[in-house]
Amino acid sequence: MRARLLSGLLAALLMAAPGNVRAQPQNAIGSTEDAQLVATLIRAVLIALHQANATGNYTVLSQLGAPSFTVRNSAADLSLAFADLRRRKIDLQAVAVLQPDITFGPVLDEQGLLRISGRFATVPEPIRFELIWQVVDKVWRPIGIVVTPDAG
């Protein structure tokens, strides 16, 4: 029941945020509303990754992505890509309540991709993320996901 609720919430967040996120100059989020919407996009992807790591099932994470992401990243590919996070038992659940420290972006690049990088002060290991989204049918869908322990 809890997993279904979280999956529903994730889908709602991905659907709710897209039209409202506006690109800002690098390292400049214009308003509190912009910052909240950017944080929602980031959290949605990282919570999906957390659920995939916790269950060992990366199918939903793969399917949430833009079509080119899904083609390039099968569930098996994503399992391999995030094996180190899973092995280290890095708990991404805390990103639901922590504020991201944005180090780059949000930037809308020349191809219309939304790029954001930053970190979360998760315990015991902080994490770094680099995320890229593409609009597909008026919804921001992940096209690039890099999450690693923050070495310092």
Side-chain angles (χ1 to χ4, degrees):
M1 172 98 172
R2 184 176 176 202
R4 193 175 321 146
L5 176 65
L6 288 174
S7 293
L9 177 62
L10 173 63
L13 290 174
L14 284 172
M15 299 290 279
N20 296 319
V21 175
R22 294 180 294 277
Q24 299 290 330
Q26 180 177 338
N27 295 324
I29 298 173
S31 69
T32 300
E33 181 181 271
D34 288 343
Q36 289 171 343
L37 291 167
V38 166
T40 298
L41 281 173
I42 294 166
R43 287 183 181 117
V45 171
L46 295 182
I47 292 295
L49 176 56
H50 169 74
Q51 291 174 338
N53 284 342
T55 63
N57 184 344
Y58 293 81
T59 304
V60 172
L61 181 61
S62 175
Q63 295 302 308
L64 286 172
S68 61
F69 177 84
T70 300
V71 167
R72 285 191 328 266
N73 296 288
S74 69
D77 295 331
L78 292 172
S79 178
L80 287 172
F82 296 111
D84 186 52
L85 288 179
R86 199 172 53 253
R87 181 187 58 76
R88 292 169 82 153
K89 296 183 182 350
I90 294 181
D91 185 0
L92 299 175
Q93 208 164 212
V95 304
V97 295
L98 294 174
Q99 203 52 29
D101 175 19
I102 307 296
T103 58
F104 176 83
V107 170
L108 197 60
D109 72 12
E110 59 279 351
Q111 289 109 11
L113 302 177
L114 179 63
R115 297 175 177 273
I116 304 171
S117 299
R119 67 184 299 278
F120 276 97
T122 49
V123 175
E125 284 188 85
I127 56 129
R128 289 206 164 277
F129 61 85
E130 294 179 33
L131 303 170
I132 306 169
W133 292 266
Q134 176 183 38
V135 174
V136 177
D137 297 327
K138 299 181 183 176
V139 175
W140 286 111
R141 295 195 172 254
I143 193 169
I145 304 171
V146 176
V147 179
T148 59
D150 187 1

